[in-house]
Amino acid sequence: MTLNSSQIQAIAFDADDTLWRNEDIFIHAQDEFINLLLPYHDESYVRSHLGEVQINNLEHFGYGIKGFTLSMIETAIELTEGRITGNEIHEIIQLAKCMLASPVELLPNVESVLSQLKGRFRLLVITKGDLLDQESKLARSGIADYFDAIEIVSDKTSAAYQQILQRHKISAEHFLMVGNSLKSDILPVLDLGAQALHVPYHTTWDHEKVADETLLHYPQLGTLSDVAQVTDWLNLSTTMDKKAV
């Protein structure tokens, strides 16, 4: 696949860690949870076990804070052999409520980029996770009005993207996805014959990482260092008359 900005008519953005900070909230909560369990086990063991429980629970609870909270509770019960107290469980629940109430912090240049793209392209948000949490973050972000459509899915697979494109009558060759996760935002889109730009975040959940050998199958992968480069890649200075479809 050869990246070609001239044929793009619709652009979708991932939300968490592409439009606003998110993984930092999980990292802080995980550190607090580990501190809670240090009287029972060492840090590396708690961290490793929590990661395993999270992955195993994705098919039951999906992505997001609520599923993460249930995984923390399950981990606490297992690693303490049931000795975890009611007060300690309450601490975990309070930790989850703090996560849900965390302010939405936009990443640099996001609103500037969206203001330049609005009206020239169809703009979408395609994000995964808990419906209520994602809707809340979008409402509090102050940028929801820039988008023509918002899609919140349980997981980002090629099939899920295909359904979204069909629903909005967007051809794959006219579609561009921008996101921080190679596994969720980039590779499934490239598999459809659409285009994608990777904007890495400073930290990535292990579950979202992709093996180097996998990337060898995608030699035309486009990578940016900042969301602001989206407009540079699109050559907006020479496409002032581009119409939204």
Side-chain angles (χ1 to χ4, degrees):
M1 183 195 75
T2 300
L3 293 173
N4 182 0
S5 63
S6 64
Q7 61 187 10
I8 300 301
Q9 298 175 344
I11 304 174
F13 288 84
D14 169 54
D16 293 336
D17 299 320
T18 299
L19 298 177
W20 53 66
R21 300 188 189 281
N22 182 68
E23 184 62 17
D24 306 86
I25 296 171
F26 280 82
I27 291 173
H28 174 73
Q30 182 172 261
D31 289 343
E32 291 293 314
F33 172 74
I34 289 170
N35 287 335
L36 182 67
L37 290 191
L38 284 180
Y40 302 94
H41 289 283
D42 64 72
E43 176 183 346
S44 62
Y45 185 70
V46 176
R47 191 180 299 276
S48 174
H49 192 78
L50 174 60
E52 292 176 3
V53 172
Q54 279 186 269
I55 300 305
N56 291 336
N57 281 339
L58 284 176
E59 64 177 305
H60 304 294
F61 307 134
Y63 295 87
I65 292 173
K66 294 173 185 176
F68 177 61
T69 303
L70 290 170
S71 292
M72 285 194 291
I73 293 172
E74 181 178 343
T75 298
I77 294 171
E78 290 180 350
L79 293 189
T80 66
E81 297 179 332
R83 290 174 290 161
I84 192 80
T85 68
N87 285 337
E88 288 169 325
I89 294 293
H90 186 257
E91 285 186 51
I92 296 173
I93 294 172
Q94 290 303 114
L95 187 59
K97 289 181 178 179
C98 288
M99 293 176 72
L100 289 167
S102 296
V104 178
E105 181 182 353
L106 294 180
L107 289 169
N109 304 308
V110 163
E111 189 158 14
S112 172
V113 167
L114 294 177
S115 66
Q116 293 179 66
L117 299 179
K118 180 69 173 175
R120 300 180 187 180
F121 305 88
R122 289 176 68 180
L123 297 182
L124 300 85
V125 169
I126 301 178
T127 186
K128 68 182 179 183
D130 179 77
L131 178 62
L132 291 178
D133 184 31
Q134 295 297 67
E135 286 181 337
S136 172
K137 285 188 287 189
L138 280 161
R140 291 182 287 129
S141 70
I143 59 173
D145 289 343
Y146 285 106
F147 297 101
D148 301 294
I150 294 170
E151 294 280 352
I152 301 171
V153 296
S154 58
D155 199 2
K156 289 179 170 178
T157 62
S158 294
Y161 282 109
Q162 184 66 60
Q163 290 175 1
I164 291 171
L165 295 183
Q166 291 175 346
R167 185 157 53 247
H168 294 282
K169 296 180 172 57
I170 300 171
S171 299
E173 62 267 26
H174 296 149
F175 178 70
L176 172 69
M177 180 71 192
V178 180
N180 69 291
S181 171
L182 287 167
K183 181 178 180 180
S184 295
D185 303 320
I186 308 301
L187 303 189
V189 173
L190 296 181
D191 284 338
L192 294 178
Q195 301 190 62
L197 291 175
H198 181 221
V199 187
Y201 193 58
H202 70 85
T203 183
T204 303
W205 183 25
D206 286 344
H207 181 64
E208 293 292 330
K209 293 179 179 178
V210 175
D212 291 340
E213 54 266 28
T214 301
L215 299 180
L216 295 176
H217 298 287
Y218 300 90
Q220 299 300 322
L221 179 67
T223 299
L224 309 178
S225 61
D226 190 280
V227 170
Q229 292 181 318
V230 172
T231 54
D232 296 334
W233 184 82
L234 289 165
N235 297 313
L236 284 187
S237 60
T238 61
T239 58
M240 295 296 291
D241 59 345
K242 183 179 278 290
K243 303 290 186 180
V245 295

